[in-house]
């Protein structure tokens, strides 16, 4: 199970939100490129990035920074979400060296887009499912749909997606622990591997997720994204990855 540091981009800075609220923003670095370099030096095996401005606008707003990070860390797999609504945007990222593109809002609005993206970029498409009380949120988490996380996951069972990033919005950025029960429950019903996100606080979360991954069935839990806990020091990346590996 990978422990994946997160870099969320807003106005060109590395930030973290609370429950996806843009009025609850904490800036952790004015230089996201340097921040990514630090995570690479600390042993990150993958980097999770979100263009928050792009997620709201519907098209990339921080692509220059994302591409600079990829150039600066050529051996570090990067996954990026936020504003990827067409194949040209996905292609631009992949041609720049991004390993995985994450499709979120467009997966709800136009499910066939996911299939088209998977066909065009095999093994490089991740579906982002952000849920609040079990229902999928879109448009930078500003809108909650009437589609459940479970039904959306099952819809993409045969599309060829590499993974699903599942975020519990109610836990995200709140340092209240991962919703292990919901994550394991979704993983058990998914034919696509899950990457957990939202609420990671300390090493205990990594342990509980690892245990859940071992017994949940389905395609399993292959990673966990950590943000605020890493930035505020309640979780050490090296120790967390060692625990996940054990």
């Amino acid at each position: 199970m990978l422990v994946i540091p997160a870099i969320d981009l807003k106005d060109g800075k590395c930030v973290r939100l609370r429950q996806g609220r843009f009025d609850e923003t904490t800036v952790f670095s004015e230089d996201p490129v340097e921040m990514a370099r630090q995570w690479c030096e600390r042993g990150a095996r993958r980097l999770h990035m979100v263009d928050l401005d792009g997620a709201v606008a519907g098209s990339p707003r921080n692509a220059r920074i994302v591409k600079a990070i990829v150039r600066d860390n050529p051996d570090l797999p990067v996954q990026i979400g936020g504003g990827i609504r067409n194949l040209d945007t996905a292609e631009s990222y992949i041609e720049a060296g991004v390993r995985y593109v994450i499709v979120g809002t467009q997966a709800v609005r136009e499910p066939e887009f996911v299939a088209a993206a998977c066909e065009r970029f095999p093994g490089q498409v991740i579906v982002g499912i952000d849920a609040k009380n079990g229902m999928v949120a879109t448009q930078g988490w500003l809108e909650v749909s009437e589609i459940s996380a479970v039904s959306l996951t099952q819809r993409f069972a045969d599309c060829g997606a590499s993974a699903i990033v599942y975020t519990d919005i109610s836990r995200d950025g709140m340092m209240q622990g991962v919703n292990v029960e919901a994550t394991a429950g979704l993983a058990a019903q998914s034919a696509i591997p899950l990457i957990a996100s939202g609420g990671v606080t300390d090493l205990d979360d990594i342990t509980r997720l690892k245990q859940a991954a071992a017994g949940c069935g389905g395609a399993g839990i292959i990673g966990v994204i950590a943000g605020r806990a890493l930035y505020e020091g309640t979780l050490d990346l090296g120790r967390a990855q060692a625990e996940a590996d054990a």
Side-chain angles (χ1 to χ4, degrees):
M1 188 174 73
L2 292 175
V3 179
I4 309 171
I7 291 182
D8 290 355
L9 298 169
K10 184 176 184 295
D11 301 325
K13 302 172 184 177
C14 174
V15 308
R16 295 300 295 169
L17 308 182
R18 293 186 185 275
Q19 297 182 328
R21 295 175 54 182
F22 279 71
D23 60 348
E24 292 275 354
T25 301
T26 304
V27 177
F28 282 104
S29 175
E30 300 277 345
D31 187 348
V33 177
E34 173 59 27
M35 194 73 253
R37 187 179 300 126
Q38 290 184 31
W39 290 132
C40 189
E41 290 172 351
R42 295 177 193 178
R45 299 178 189 172
R46 187 185 293 194
L47 188 65
H48 175 78
M49 301 189 68
V50 180
D51 182 346
L52 294 172
D53 301 308
V56 175
S59 60
R61 291 294 183 269
N62 292 282
R64 179 184 59 81
I65 296 173
V66 175
K67 293 175 182 180
I69 287 173
V70 172
R71 286 196 304 271
D72 196 54
N73 304 278
D75 297 323
L76 179 65
V78 170
Q79 57 188 49
I80 174 68
I84 300 174
R85 310 283 170 84
N86 56 63
L87 294 177
D88 287 343
T89 299
E91 184 173 46
S92 174
Y93 276 130
I94 289 173
E95 285 185 344
V98 170
R99 186 71 57 86
Y100 305 98
V101 290
I102 303 171
V103 181
T105 294
Q106 202 67 1
V108 179
R109 292 180 174 176
E110 189 183 342
E112 57 271 21
F113 172 71
V114 175
C118 288
E119 183 177 357
R120 181 92 164 262
F121 313 109
Q124 294 185 278
V125 178
I126 292 173
V127 176
I129 297 182
D130 308 321
K132 187 173 185 179
N133 299 322
M135 306 307 289
V136 176
T138 62
Q139 201 68 23
W141 299 359
L142 299 178
E143 300 175 6
V144 178
S145 72
E146 296 183 355
I147 302 172
S148 73
V150 171
S151 65
L152 187 61
T153 299
Q154 293 174 340
R155 182 180 298 176
F156 298 118
D158 301 317
C159 74
S162 172
I164 288 173
V165 170
Y166 172 65
T167 303
D168 184 332
I169 296 174
S170 66
R171 302 289 184 101
D172 192 70
M174 300 303 290
M175 302 281 283
Q176 294 178 347
V178 177
N179 190 337
V180 175
E181 182 178 344
T183 302
L186 185 62
Q189 300 179 68
S190 176
I192 306 171
L194 245 64
I195 298 173
S197 176
V200 173
T201 304
D202 53 30
L203 198 62
D204 182 57
D205 284 317
I206 306 301
T207 301
R208 292 189 301 123
L209 269 174
K210 180 180 71 172
Q211 292 170 345
C216 68
I221 302 169
I222 62 168
V224 54
I225 295 166
R228 187 176 292 271
L230 291 174
Y231 290 102
E232 294 191 352
T234 63
L235 182 70
D236 176 80
L237 178 59
R239 290 185 64 197
Q241 187 60 69
E243 170 66 12
D245 288 341

